[in-house]
Amino acid sequence: MSSPVIARRPGLGSWLTLIRCETKMVVRDTAGLVVPIGLPLLILMMNSSAAGGEVVINGRTALDVYVLPMVITIVMATIGIINMPSFLAYYRRSGILRRLSVTPASPAMVLIAQVVVSLLQTVIGIGAAFAVALLVFDANPPLRPAATIGAALLAMTAMYALGMIVAAVAPTPNSAVAIGLVAFFAVGALGGLFGGRDSLPDVLARAGEWLPFGASVEVLQSAWAGVPTEPLHLISLTATIVLGGLVAAVFFRWD
Amino acid sequence: MESEPAAVDVRNLSKRYGGMLAVDDVSLRVETGEIFGVLGTNGAGKTTTVEIIAGLRRPDGGHVRVLGLDPRRERAKVRQVLGVQLQQAHLHHALTVAELIDLYVGFYPNPRPAGELLDLVGLTPQRTTRFEKLSGGQQQRLSIALALAGRPRVAILDELTTGLDPRARRKVWATVEQLRDDNVTVVLVTHAMEEVERLCDRVALLDAGRIIALDTPAGLVARAGAANLDEAFVALSGKELEESA
């Protein structure tokens, strides 16, 4: 008689190997690193010298309360809305997820590993921008650090949720990049990516403030400036997370 | 004493895609240690059948067990004992051979050592080559190595040697023969009659989703009154085509 079969899930070592592999995939996809790390730095450079000297509120300058929240949001949005779904769509399309599904690893392991790697990427992107702002342009740290970190985590989750919608509706890797870019520029444009929302028509400005990009900028801004966070923005980000989760649960396909 | 379950037990399997019956009342039983061939023309239902056995597709009807386990309801257990090489398996394109082997080896509790797997499929010189830079044959061999990473008791190999040059093909055949020596059960989907003759103990010949013959390779030749397996294949599957036309 043969021994009974015991179902064993891959252990910690296996998780670490997978995360290491996903990291290599991301690093070797050099083009994918330019946008989330290069673009925010560029925007920071272009806007910081003027904004650094202009105190807006509570001893915080325009650089602290306008430029940095925007830059941080761009890092999170490009990674969550464009990069993460394009990896998932590629893995699905190429059959990698299918191949993994006949091993003891589940495709969900890949999703989680991708989230871990993209969080690392986000930390590096934000860290680089913050370091440059601090060292070169005399930026000031946030007045409410804990609230700032909380706001960033909530915003990042909302970006992933939006990314999961992209991954769920995109039939091919190319369309995932295209839909991701359109979604990014849509929420970005309405959220102040190309200049203040004041110049937009009222309805659009309001919509932009509620959409995840604008709401992320707002919650980071208020935490940085040490003013109370508006519940509306927290509600909007939470709603994005719930909606993204629902859409992904219903429409996302592993193969 | 309870008898050992069959390595693969399929009864009255059916699968429908839209209006087309891809698998139609297929029954087969593969015994432990057997090398079992699944033959048929393109679209005969071979891949669908083995994908159902692997738990990748849900059957519309019938019963499937791998070593007595249900591939869908006991998925996690089946994953421990079943190794699968899929047709057109794509892997992380930017990872190297060694990285991919380490990754897949890590999924199993008692894997074959990475070095042994590399040797087995002759990819040791390519260990630092990225998957995307491998030739088709090398990708195929890597895919076989990964299917064997967890020391499976049953291996499903879909189009094992398609696209391999004659030398690489012989190397892969030797690997499969070694599996037989280790008492691993192999289900082999194939077009290559030479492969069937050399490796398979028994074969199922599928046509339009149904098994039209299930026999030893020599038995198939005798039944068709043919000179060799190639002719037997054409004669048997051809007849079926005329009937259905």
Side-chain angles (χ1 to χ4, degrees), chain A residues 36 39-40 43 69-79 184 193 213:
Chain A
L39 180 68
I43 290 178
M70 173 68 66
V71 165
I72 291 171
T73 301
I74 294 171
V75 175
M76 296 190 296
T78 49
I79 290 173
F184 168 74
L193 177 62
F213 193 99

Side-chain angles (χ1 to χ4, degrees), chain B residues 35-82:
Chain B
I35 299 184
F36 188 91
V38 179
L39 268 77
T41 50
N42 290 326
K46 306 183 297 288
T47 292
T48 304
T49 303
V50 296
E51 285 183 348
I52 293 172
I53 296 171
L56 280 169
R57 292 180 192 280
R58 191 192 304 277
D60 291 325
H63 160 112
V64 180
R65 292 290 180 275
V66 175
L67 296 165
L69 301 165
D70 183 324
R72 287 195 78 89
R73 272 181 300 145
E74 293 166 291
R75 190 186 179 90
K77 284 183 179 178
V78 170
R79 296 288 171 263
Q80 304 285 334
V81 291
L82 180 71

Side-chain angles (χ1 to χ4, degrees), chain B residues 129-203:
Chain B
T129 307
R130 288 188 189 186
F131 181 74
E132 61 193 345
K133 302 274 189 220
L134 295 173
S135 70
Q138 289 167 339
Q139 292 186 347
Q140 188 84 343
R141 270 143 67 198
L142 178 58
S143 172
I144 295 164
L146 299 183
L148 303 177
R151 301 183 191 278
R153 284 156 60 189
V154 179
I156 294 178
L157 306 172
D158 195 351
E159 305 231 341
L160 184 64
T161 57
T162 307
L164 295 193
D165 65 52
R167 250 183 56 197
R169 200 178 324 155
R170 287 197 158 64
K171 215 166 169 150
V172 169
W173 287 345
T175 308
V176 176
E177 279 165 342
Q178 211 182 318
L179 292 177
R180 189 211 309 265
D181 297 340
D182 297 340
N183 210 30
V184 175
T185 308
V186 178
V187 177
L188 201 65
V189 176
T190 181
H191 281 299
M193 295 305 144
E194 207 187 338
E195 185 166 297
V196 173
E197 252 158 2
R198 167 142 176 198
L199 295 175
C200 294
D201 300 307
R202 286 189 307 144
V203 291

Side-chain angles (χ1 to χ4, degrees), chain A residues 175-202:
Chain A
S175 65
V177 176
I179 297 170
L181 278 168
V182 169
F184 168 74
F185 282 117
V187 292
L190 295 175
L193 177 62
F194 303 116
R197 285 196 309 270
D198 329 343
S199 52
L200 293 170
D202 259 4

